[in-house]
């Protein structure tokens, strides 16, 4: 039978500021302990595994596809009168904001 504690114990990182009654009593499952941490070395290992599994050409194709989708999204936002692109697109990230505040937002 599979024991989650075999995975959780070696990957757990419990700083004092994240502790509370629910986590101490084990009433909830904290999934942050079920994965490899995001230290520099392990982020590099994750990238290495992606490159090893998919190859550099497939990774380039994947990234280019997302950049193309972001360009298309940016064009769609430019055509919409309710939204604006706040800063120029950077790779696949588009920052969007509403142009005018509606009545509901003005009450806030």
């Amino acid at each position: 039978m599979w024991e989650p504690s075999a995975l959780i114990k070696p990957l757990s990182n419990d700083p004092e500021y994240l502790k509370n009654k629910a986590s101490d009593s084990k009433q909830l499952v904290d999934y942050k302990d079920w994965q490899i941490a995001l230290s520099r070395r392990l982020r590099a290992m994750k990238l290495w595994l992606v490159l090893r599994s998919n190859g550099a050409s497939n990774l380039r194709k994947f990234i280019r596809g997302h950049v193309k989708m972001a360009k298309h999204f940016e064009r769609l936002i430019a055509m919409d009168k309710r939204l604006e692109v706040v800063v120029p697109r950077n790779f696949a990230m588009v920052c969007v904001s509403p142009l005018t505040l509606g009545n509901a937002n003005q009450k806030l």
Side-chain angles (χ1 to χ4, degrees), residues 36 42-55:
I36 298 173
L42 291 174
R43 279 192 308 234
M45 184 178 79
K46 288 179 183 181
L47 176 61
W48 181 83
L49 286 170
V50 167
L51 287 169
R52 181 80 179 182
S53 301
N54 302 315

Side-chain angles (χ1 to χ4, degrees), residues 10-107:
L11 299 175
S12 182
N13 180 11
D14 290 323
E16 236 6 83
Y17 59 87
L18 289 179
K19 293 183 180 177
N20 56 38
K21 290 179 186 176
S23 64
D24 290 342
S25 67
K26 306 295 182 201
Q27 291 177 343
L28 57 95
V29 177
D30 195 355
Y31 290 109
K32 76 170 178 53
D33 296 331
W34 290 47
Q35 65 181 352
I36 298 173
L38 290 175
S39 67
R40 274 191 194 164
R41 289 181 182 172
L42 291 174
R43 279 192 308 234
M45 184 178 79
K46 288 179 183 181
L47 176 61
W48 181 83
L49 286 170
V50 167
L51 287 169
R52 181 80 179 182
S53 301
N54 302 315
S57 62
N58 283 338
L59 185 58
R60 278 192 294 269
K61 196 182 317 179
F62 180 80
I63 292 170
R64 285 181 180 136
H66 280 78
V67 170
K68 194 181 292 185
M69 283 191 291
K71 284 181 184 177
H72 179 66
F73 180 63
E74 188 177 42
R75 283 193 301 268
L76 292 173
I77 295 299
M79 291 188 290
D80 193 329
K81 303 289 186 230
R82 299 167 295 173
L83 301 171
E84 69 175 334
V85 176
V86 180
V87 293
R89 177 188 45 81
N90 188 9
F91 292 108
M93 186 170 77
V94 182
C95 295
V96 178
S97 173
L99 270 175
T100 59
L101 294 175
N103 291 337
N105 289 338
Q106 287 177 354
K107 290 178 184 177

